[in-house]
Amino acid sequence: MVNKSIPRRILKRNINYGFLTADKLPREEFKERNLTDRFSWSTTEEFKNMAKNHCATVCATNLALYFEVTRDNPHKIFREIYKYMGDGPKIKVEGAMKRYFRDLGYDLKLEKIRRRDEIKKSLDEGKPIILLLAGSLVNWHWVLVTGYRMYE
């Protein structure tokens, strides 16, 4: 049941998280760091019939693909991680992710990153970033940050 005293815009489900399409990016010169050139990443669309609010599980699936902790295909990885995470929305994901990786014999190290220079440093070191975007008070979206652009 929806609390009628909460303004409708807070509960809005069609949230724009600020993603830019290629035609919206600046046309000026840039330097780029991108960890994605060797991967075909999973998307929430691929698993929409298997789970609800599953962006955190997709994020963890992509992390497992990046670190090559298993040779399983993305759908099998997703199903396995989903057993640890379940449906979202999830505000905390580190515990479930660490348990999944630990059970595969991999020690997943997570650090809090709060500043843009820390994001750049992590990506420069080849470490992708798990990022929670907030579209509103109750609408979140987990993404795996795999690159950046620095415009001149």
Side-chain angles (χ1 to χ4, degrees):
M1 180 173 161
V2 174
N3 182 338
K4 303 251 188 231
S5 66
I6 298 174
R8 185 74 189 136
R9 70 182 181 283
I10 292 175
L11 299 176
K12 184 179 175 190
R13 296 296 301 169
N14 232 351
I15 300 298
N16 176 352
Y17 291 101
F19 297 123
L20 297 177
T21 56
D23 63 312
K24 301 285 187 204
L25 294 173
R27 303 215 185 276
E28 56 197 79
E29 300 236 358
F30 60 87
K31 292 179 183 172
E32 181 176 61
R33 173 69 169 145
N34 191 337
L35 306 177
T36 64
D37 55 353
R38 67 176 206 220
F39 293 100
S40 176
W41 300 103
S42 293
T43 65
T44 54
E45 182 70 18
E46 294 172 57
F47 308 106
K48 69 181 180 182
N49 295 326
M50 298 169 67
K52 295 185 185 302
N53 296 316
H54 54 286
C55 56
T57 305
V58 173
C59 186
T61 299
N62 284 323
L63 202 60
L65 290 169
Y66 179 79
F67 286 115
E68 299 175 334
V69 297
T70 177
R71 293 187 184 268
D72 291 336
N73 70 56
H75 280 82
K76 184 170 183 188
I77 295 170
F78 178 88
R79 285 191 303 274
E80 287 300 312
I81 294 174
Y82 183 80
K83 292 175 187 175
Y84 292 77
M85 300 187 83
D87 285 331
K90 300 277 185 192
I91 193 140
K92 291 189 170 198
V93 297
E94 60 273 5
M97 283 188 188
K98 283 182 160 197
R99 282 189 299 278
Y100 168 77
F101 280 82
R102 183 189 61 228
D103 288 352
L104 290 175
Y106 190 89
D107 184 20
L108 182 65
K109 303 255 191 250
L110 300 174
E111 301 173 17
K112 289 190 192 273
I113 293 179
R114 293 185 170 86
R115 297 187 326 266
R116 194 177 339 179
D117 64 316
E118 293 174 323
I119 293 171
K120 183 179 180 302
K121 181 178 184 280
S122 181
L123 293 168
D124 286 343
E125 293 172 353
K127 299 183 224 169
I129 298 165
I130 302 163
L131 178 67
L132 178 60
L133 303 173
S136 73
L137 184 60
V138 294
N139 290 292
W140 315 307
H141 188 61
W142 287 99
V143 296
L144 188 65
V145 179
T146 59
Y148 64 85
R149 282 187 174 180
M150 302 288 288
Y151 290 92
E152 303 292 320

